[in-house]
């Protein structure tokens, strides 16, 4: 065993450590968020009510009554495990890991990766654990990281492993866990491994053990019959939400001192975390993933109709990515939909038909009044949500309904052959433009039942073609009419164009409530489902409206919400 370096051997040791270090762990792993949109973006509420339910008034008297999320174990994502490992071992520890694959970002990561550890997830976790252990093969690096100068002693190595385990578990070790860890180290030594080898293999086992891979949200029962997350659970939850990494020493110190029990105690830590570079990186990635910007690279256009498109894709992507990165930290969240400011390079200046301000690469630019305004008028969004050869009122409308407004979930069209044939015929009808096709859907059953709730959002964007270029008429020469009557769900009334639509949904709070909903979904990780109709969201949104309505204050409001701090029951 002393010279064994095989993958199978290391995995065997890692799994042995898993069983040893688990020390008795049983829980029901809660289901993750379902990713579906809410049903009533204008519901209202007043926060925590008696007996643990959220109660309040809505448009018609009562908003949705919802319970705090259930107790759960939430798996760390690949990225979070990697960040937790490098926090202790430095970036060199992940040099052997396929970063592109393991760090692929989704808005709700565990919906993509899987909340449980199965045959697809485990090999990637093992890869991270192996990389962590292998990063200490170099003698000089081993001494530097462990602080065990050559020749290393058992006492020094065991002391380092205890510290590593506590940092990995993000809490003090139990007596059983300490005993199991030291027994594993001793067994490895007895089998003929050196101090350095035994340390590395034990470290690998710690990294792949359940207390490292999962964070608990069980809580302790309070007087209301609810379960308040303990200090260490709260520290991990806040840190992974805001920075995507493990809690830092001030958070752990506060948890140890019992100083994360109230909003007043938690607030300064939230404010501190939000200002850290890791928070900016994380939240910018979160919002880029939320708006599904990477879909742009799969949007195919007819090269005969749009010969310059491929040469513009990277610039389109970079504009929106830069816009998100900059706008998150200046102004209000409503500016995402209403500002005329953006960031362009010389290629996009030509495409948009404006004068490039000069400089190098992407520079700030403000569109003249009446041209473009906000995220949904950027070329990336418009190209992503169009067909190969023309626009798509349906695709653009569905996206705005779901991602911008948290509108009612739209079921797929009826699957009967006759209806499918009608839909196919309408889509292929080249004699009708997109407005005319929308008019047909509005008058045809069963299409009109659903399309009345989202086609309007696509029609207001018809003055932009399939790659986002401005236009005043359809290819058939007919002038484009972008005027619509808005659904009651966003306040009703008329909008003559996308500018008026965006003004309406920002002024009446529909957009900021939707964004509050989705930031709460992200913060909960795998701990529960969220709807814009929930009174828990209403409570967060009401508090947000009393601030300067910056994105940072939205994150702060979610972090301090009772929804994050309480669970409905122990499992």
């Amino acid at each position: 065993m002393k010279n064994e370096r095989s993958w199978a051997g290391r995995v065997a040791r890692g799994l042995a450590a898993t069983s040893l270090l688990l020390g008795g762990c049983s829980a029901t792993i809660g289901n993750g968020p379902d990713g579906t949109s809410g049903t009533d973006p204008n519901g209202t509420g007043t926060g925590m009510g008696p007996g643990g339910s959220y109660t309040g008034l809505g448009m018609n008297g009562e908003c949705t009554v919802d319970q705090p999320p259930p107790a759960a174990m939430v798996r760390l994502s690949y990225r979070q495990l990697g960040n937790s490992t490098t926090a202790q071992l430095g970036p060199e520890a992940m040099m052997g890991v396929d970063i592109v694959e393991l760090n692929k970002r989704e808005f709700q990561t565990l919906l993509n990766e899987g909340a449980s550890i199965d045959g697809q997830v485990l090999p990637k976790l093992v890869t991270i654990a192996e990389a962590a252990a292998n990063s200490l093969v170099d003698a000089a690096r081993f001494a530097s990281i462990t602080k065990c100068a050559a020749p290393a002693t058992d006492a020094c190595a065991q002391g380092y492993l205890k510290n590593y385990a506590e940092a990995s578990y993000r809490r003090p070790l139990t007596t059983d866990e300490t005993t199991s860890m030291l027994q594993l180290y001793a067994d490895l030594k007895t089998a003929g491994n050196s101090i350095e080898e035994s340390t590395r293999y034990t470290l690998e086992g710690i990294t792949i053990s359940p207390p490292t891979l999962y964070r608990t949200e069980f809580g302790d029962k309070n007087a209301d019959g609810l379960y308040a997350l303990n200090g260490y659970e709260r520290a991990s939850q806040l840190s992974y939400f805001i920075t995507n990494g493990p809690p830092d020493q001030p958070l752990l110190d506060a948890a140890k001192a019992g100083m994360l029990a109230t909003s007043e105690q938690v607030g300064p830590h939230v404010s501190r975390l939000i200002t850290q570079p890791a928070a900016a990186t994380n939240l910018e990635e979160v919002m880029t993933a939320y708006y599904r910007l990477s879909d742009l690279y799969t949007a195919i256009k007819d090269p005969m109709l749009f010969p310059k498109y491929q040469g513009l894709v990277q610039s389109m992507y970079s504009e929106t990515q830069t816009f998100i990165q900059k706008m998150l930290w200046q102004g209000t969240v409503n500016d995402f939909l209403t500002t005329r400011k953006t960031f362009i390079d010389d290629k996009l200046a030509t495409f948009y038909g404006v004068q490039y301000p000069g400089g190098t690469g992407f520079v700030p630019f403000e569109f003249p009044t009446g041209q473009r305004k906000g995220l949904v008028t950027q070329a990336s969004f418009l190209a992503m949500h169009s067909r190969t050869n023309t626009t798509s009122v349906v695709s653009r409308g569905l996206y705005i309904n779901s991602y911008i407004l948290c509108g009612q979930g739209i079921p797929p069209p009826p699957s009967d052959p006759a209806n499918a044939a009608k839909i196919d015929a309408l889509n292929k009808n080249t004699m009708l433009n997109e407005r005319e096709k929308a008019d047909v859907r509005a008058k045809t059953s069963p299409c009109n039942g659903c399309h009345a709730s989202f086609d309007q959002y696509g029609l207001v964007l018809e003055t932009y073609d399939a790659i986002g270029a401005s236009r005043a008429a359809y290819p058939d020469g007919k002038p484009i009419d972008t005027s619509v009557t808005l659904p009651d769900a966003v306040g009703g009334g008329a909008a003559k164009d996308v500018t008026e639509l965006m003004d309406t949904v920002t002024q009446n709070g529909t957009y900021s409530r939707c964004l509050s909903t989705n930031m709460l979904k992200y913060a909960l990780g795998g701990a529960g489902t969220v709807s814009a109709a929930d009174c828990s969201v209403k409570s967060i949104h009401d508090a947000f409206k009393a601030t300067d309505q910056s994105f940072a204050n939205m994150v702060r409001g979610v972090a301090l919400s009772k929804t994050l701090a309480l669970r409905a029951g122990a499992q």
Side-chain angles (χ1 to χ4, degrees):
M1 186 172 182
K2 182 175 182 180
N3 295 316
E4 184 177 357
R5 294 288 184 272
S6 70
W7 181 88
R10 289 196 297 273
V11 171
R13 282 187 292 277
L15 293 178
T18 295
S19 62
L20 286 168
L21 296 176
L22 182 52
C25 176
S26 62
T28 298
I29 298 174
N31 293 326
D34 59 8
T36 57
S37 299
T39 56
D40 177 14
N42 294 312
T44 56
T46 58
M48 262 325 240
S53 63
Y54 293 82
T55 60
L57 300 177
M59 291 179 64
N60 298 313
E62 293 293 332
C63 73
T64 302
V65 177
D66 50 38
Q67 292 287 332
M73 291 175 64
V74 182
R75 183 177 75 76
L76 300 193
S77 69
Y78 305 140
R79 175 78 73 89
Q80 289 173 346
L81 180 59
N83 288 346
S84 299
T85 304
T86 58
Q88 297 193 72
L89 301 178
E92 299 91 341
M94 291 295 101
M95 290 182 65
V97 177
D98 185 351
I99 297 296
V100 173
E101 172 64 21
L102 296 186
N103 287 353
K104 182 179 180 183
R105 198 69 188 264
E106 297 286 343
F107 173 61
Q108 292 176 275
T109 306
L110 295 184
L111 292 179
N112 180 57
E113 293 182 359
S116 300
I117 297 176
D118 57 19
Q120 292 184 322
V121 172
L122 181 58
K124 295 179 180 180
L125 300 177
V126 169
T127 296
I128 294 173
E130 286 183 329
N134 290 339
S135 73
L136 297 183
V137 169
D138 179 78
R141 178 169 159 74
F142 179 92
S144 174
I145 293 294
T146 65
K147 309 303 181 188
C148 296
T153 64
D154 287 326
C156 183
Q158 290 169 344
Y160 168 73
L161 288 170
K162 184 177 184 295
N163 291 336
Y164 182 87
E166 286 193 343
S168 294
Y169 293 4
R170 305 166 296 278
R171 58 166 174 77
L173 302 184
T174 66
T175 300
D176 286 347
E177 287 167 344
T178 300
T179 300
S180 295
M181 180 195 68
L182 295 178
Q183 185 62 54
L184 175 60
Y185 176 87
D187 290 345
L188 288 164
K189 283 291 300 298
T190 300
N193 290 280
S194 66
I195 290 176
E196 291 80 6
E197 288 170 330
S198 298
T199 301
R200 294 201 304 271
Y201 298 149
T202 304
L203 181 146
E204 183 177 338
I206 293 168
T207 307
I208 201 67
S209 65
T212 297
L213 300 179
Y214 283 91
R215 58 181 182 84
T216 65
E217 294 189 348
F218 295 158
D220 300 317
K221 195 171 184 178
N222 63 20
D224 294 330
L226 300 174
Y227 291 78
L229 299 190
N230 67 43
Y232 291 105
E233 290 174 326
R234 198 82 165 98
S236 286
Q237 179 195 66
L238 292 170
S239 187
Y240 285 114
F241 164 40
I242 297 173
T243 72
N244 214 35
D248 59 12
Q249 198 58 49
L251 268 176
L252 292 173
D253 290 343
K256 182 178 181 179
M259 297 297 290
L260 292 178
T262 67
S263 295
E264 291 74 21
Q265 293 171 341
V266 171
H269 290 283
V270 172
S271 298
R272 178 177 60 79
L273 291 174
I274 289 174
T275 64
Q276 294 182 358
T281 298
N282 174 48
L283 294 170
E284 289 161 13
E285 288 181 355
V286 167
M287 294 308 296
T288 300
Y290 174 67
Y291 287 118
R292 301 189 64 87
L293 183 57
S294 62
D295 287 356
L296 179 63
Y297 290 116
T298 62
I300 300 172
K301 305 300 173 184
D302 186 333
M304 298 298 292
L305 296 175
F306 307 105
K308 297 181 180 180
Y309 173 70
Q310 283 302 320
L312 290 167
V313 169
Q314 185 56 52
S315 291
M316 291 177 176
Y317 182 95
S318 295
E319 175 194 13
T320 304
Q321 181 184 51
T322 305
F323 177 83
I324 291 172
Q325 291 171 343
K326 301 293 186 182
M327 295 307 297
L328 279 183
W329 311 113
Q330 61 187 50
T332 71
V333 297
N334 285 337
D335 290 337
F336 263 80
L337 302 186
T338 60
T339 184
R340 290 185 285 113
K341 296 177 181 178
T342 189
F343 301 85
I344 61 173
D345 62 2
D346 53 350
K347 289 183 179 180
L348 281 181
T350 301
F351 175 75
Y352 285 139
V354 298
Q355 182 69 40
Y356 182 58
T360 302
F362 282 82
V363 296
F365 177 79
E366 185 167 346
F367 285 109
T369 302
Q371 286 193 9
R372 294 175 191 264
K373 191 174 182 181
L375 181 72
V376 300
T377 65
Q378 292 179 6
S380 62
F381 168 84
L382 297 161
M384 279 191 291
H385 301 290
S386 295
R387 298 189 185 93
T388 302
N389 59 347
T390 187
T391 62
S392 174
V393 163
V394 171
S395 178
R396 290 174 176 180
L398 283 171
Y399 182 94
I400 290 176
N401 178 69
S402 179
Y403 289 84
I404 304 296
L405 306 176
C406 292
Q408 184 174 1
I410 307 299
S415 58
D416 61 279
N419 187 66
K422 286 195 297 184
I423 295 173
D424 187 58
L426 181 61
N427 288 338
K428 292 180 178 178
N429 190 336
T430 58
M431 302 301 292
L432 300 178
N433 59 46
E434 284 291 296
R435 163 67 79 165
E436 291 166 336
K437 290 178 181 179
D439 290 342
V440 171
R441 290 192 293 269
K443 299 173 184 177
T444 304
S445 179
C447 301
N448 53 357
C450 290
H451 284 269
S453 63
F454 65 86
D455 269 8
Q456 298 92 321
Y457 307 143
L459 287 170
V460 298
L461 292 168
E462 279 295 274
T463 47
Y464 306 103
D465 71 11
I467 63 170
S470 297
R471 62 181 185 177
Y474 287 108
D476 61 9
K478 294 179 181 178
I480 294 173
D481 176 14
T482 59
S483 61
V484 296
T485 299
L486 299 176
D488 291 340
V490 294
K496 68 178 181 181
D497 54 24
V498 65
T499 295
E500 289 195 356
L501 170 61
M502 295 300 115
D503 287 344
T504 296
V505 299
T506 51
Q507 291 168 9
N508 67 18
T510 303
Y511 170 63
S512 56
R513 184 179 179 120
C514 179
L515 191 56
S516 297
T517 304
N518 285 302
M519 289 311 298
L520 180 57
K521 282 184 181 180
Y522 171 71
L524 285 171
T529 58
V530 181
S531 161
D534 293 350
C535 297
S536 52
V537 174
K538 166 63 165 58
S539 180
I540 292 170
H541 189 235
D542 277 354
F544 167 73
K545 289 189 295 183
T547 70
D548 62 2
Q549 300 193 28
S550 64
F551 180 73
N553 267 324
M554 178 172 285
V555 172
R556 178 181 172 83
V558 171
L560 296 179
S561 68
K562 292 180 178 180
T563 306
L564 256 62
L566 297 175
R567 293 296 171 262
Q571 295 185 31

